[in-house]
């Protein structure tokens, strides 16, 4: 039995299919998607339709990202967040051309059923962005933090790697979980094209929204699989490179 963590997709349906084909998923495997399925490239609605169908055949866990919250709100009441519209929302709206009201309703249900985080039996935490409570995710005051926070990742990058875990200065947030898997902040921001590790946090967002790739990583072996760069798959589009 294998478990894979898949980073941000951002409407890159072609990249998603490339990665899943490399995994050669078996019936007993699990895929945990880290959120931000939409916004950027031109096939956001197609990504959601595909994943909704795949989940009927494969054991999948879909974490909700901040872009997914925006899309969910639009599907629910047609509300268009100005920031969303400028950061991929327009492309997502356009991708729904030709989708029926019933299909959009099914996509809304799909988004509404997504959890903000998942904790497995080995005490590994999966969430889109981060959390701020020193007592762990169960004590987080605001659910939106799970899909917007960057301080968890920034803290892990900045911490002195030589600091002992029993030190009074060691961040309490990092002590609750064996490993933490996130997306949200592209590793390409740090000139890295592959998943990054900082303390016990793995970041699997490898910049698919921009000029990077979609990545899937085996959480036990740390072997990862990647798509082609998204601009190569969508040569006539800009994604979020605006």
């Amino acid at each position: 039995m294998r478990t894979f963590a898949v980073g941000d997709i951002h409407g890159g349906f072609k990249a998603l299919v490339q990665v899943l084909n490399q995994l050669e998923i078996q019936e007993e495997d699990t895929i945990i998607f880290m959120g931000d399925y939409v916004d950027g490239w031109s096939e956001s609605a197609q990504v959601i339709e595909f994943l909704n169908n795949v989940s009927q055949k494969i054991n999948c866990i879909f974490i909700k990202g901040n872009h997914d919250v925006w899309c969910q709100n639009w599907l629910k009441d047609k509300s268009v967040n100005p920031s969303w519209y400028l950061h991929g929302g327009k492309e997502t709206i356009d991708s729904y051309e030709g989708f029926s009201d019933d299909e959009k309703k099914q996509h809304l249900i799909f988004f509404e059923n997504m959890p903000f985080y998942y904790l497995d039996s080995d005490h590994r935490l999966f969430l889109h962005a981060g959390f701020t409570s020193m007592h762990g995710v169960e004590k987080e005051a605001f659910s939106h933090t799970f899909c917007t926070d960057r301080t968890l990742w920034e803290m892990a990058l900045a911490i002195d790697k030589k600091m002992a875990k029993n030190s009074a200065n060691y961040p309490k947030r990092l002590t609750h979980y064996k490993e933490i898997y996130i997306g949200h902040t592209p590793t390409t921001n740090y000139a890295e094209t592959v998943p990054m590790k900082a303390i016990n946090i793995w970041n699997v967002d490898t910049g698919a929204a921009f000029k990077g790739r979609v990545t899937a990583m085996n959480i036990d072996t740390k072997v990862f699989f990647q798509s082609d760069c998204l601009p190569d798959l969508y040569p006539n589009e800009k994604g979020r490179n605006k």
Side-chain angles (χ1 to χ4, degrees), residues 15-234:
L16 171 63
V17 171
Q18 273 191 343
V19 169
L20 294 185
N21 283 340
Q22 293 178 64
L23 301 186
E24 299 182 347
I25 293 296
Q26 306 297 315
E27 184 177 343
E28 65 275 12
D29 294 337
T30 297
I31 310 178
I32 304 175
F33 293 89
M34 306 304 299
D36 278 4
Y37 311 95
V38 301
D39 299 350
W41 306 97
S42 62
E43 298 187 283
S44 288
Q46 291 76 12
V47 166
I48 300 303
E49 182 72 12
F50 177 77
L51 290 177
N52 198 15
N53 291 333
V54 163
S55 66
Q56 309 303 315
K57 305 172 184 178
I58 300 172
N59 184 30
C60 298
I61 297 167
F62 300 103
I63 305 299
K64 186 179 295 186
N66 56 309
H67 286 266
D68 309 316
V69 172
W70 280 330
C71 186
Q72 175 182 320
N73 291 338
W74 174 73
L75 286 169
K76 183 177 181 180
D77 58 21
K78 299 302 180 184
S79 61
V80 178
N81 181 294
S83 294
W84 175 56
Y85 191 82
L86 294 174
H87 292 89
K90 179 185 183 302
E91 288 75 14
T92 294
I93 292 171
D94 291 345
S95 75
Y96 272 96
E97 183 177 354
F99 278 72
S100 68
D101 289 342
D102 184 63
E103 288 171 324
K104 291 179 182 177
K105 183 178 180 180
Q106 292 305 312
H107 287 198
L108 173 60
I109 294 171
F110 182 71
F111 281 121
E112 289 177 337
N113 287 336
M114 290 179 184
F116 281 108
Y117 65 85
Y118 170 72
L119 187 62
D120 74 5
S121 58
D122 289 324
H123 228 58
R124 294 176 291 200
L125 176 66
F126 302 81
L127 72 171
H128 179 62
F131 64 98
T132 61
S133 174
M134 63 182 291
H135 301 292
V137 292
E138 294 85 356
K139 299 295 184 179
E140 191 64 46
F142 303 102
S143 60
H144 68 82
T145 302
F146 297 128
C147 58
T148 58
D149 174 69
R150 296 191 197 275
T151 65
L152 181 75
W153 176 241
E154 291 169 349
M155 176 186 66
L157 288 173
I159 188 175
D160 182 353
K161 306 303 186 288
K162 297 179 182 180
M163 186 184 300
K165 289 185 178 180
N166 60 358
S167 167
N169 294 324
Y170 195 88
K172 299 297 186 293
R173 276 189 283 178
L174 300 180
T175 63
H176 298 288
Y177 309 104
K178 178 181 178 181
E179 289 181 325
I180 301 172
Y181 290 82
I182 64 170
H184 190 52
T185 304
T187 63
T188 49
N189 289 0
Y190 308 92
E192 292 286 350
T193 61
V194 300
M196 290 176 63
K197 183 184 181 184
I199 310 299
N200 63 339
I201 301 176
W202 281 95
N203 184 346
V204 293
D205 176 5
T206 51
F210 302 99
K211 297 181 180 180
R213 309 168 188 265
V214 171
T215 295
M217 189 171 76
N218 184 314
I219 66 171
D220 292 311
T221 67
K222 311 310 181 198
V223 172
F224 60 87
F225 305 83
Q226 294 188 297
S227 71
D228 294 341
C229 292
L230 272 293
D232 293 335
L233 294 174
Y234 296 91

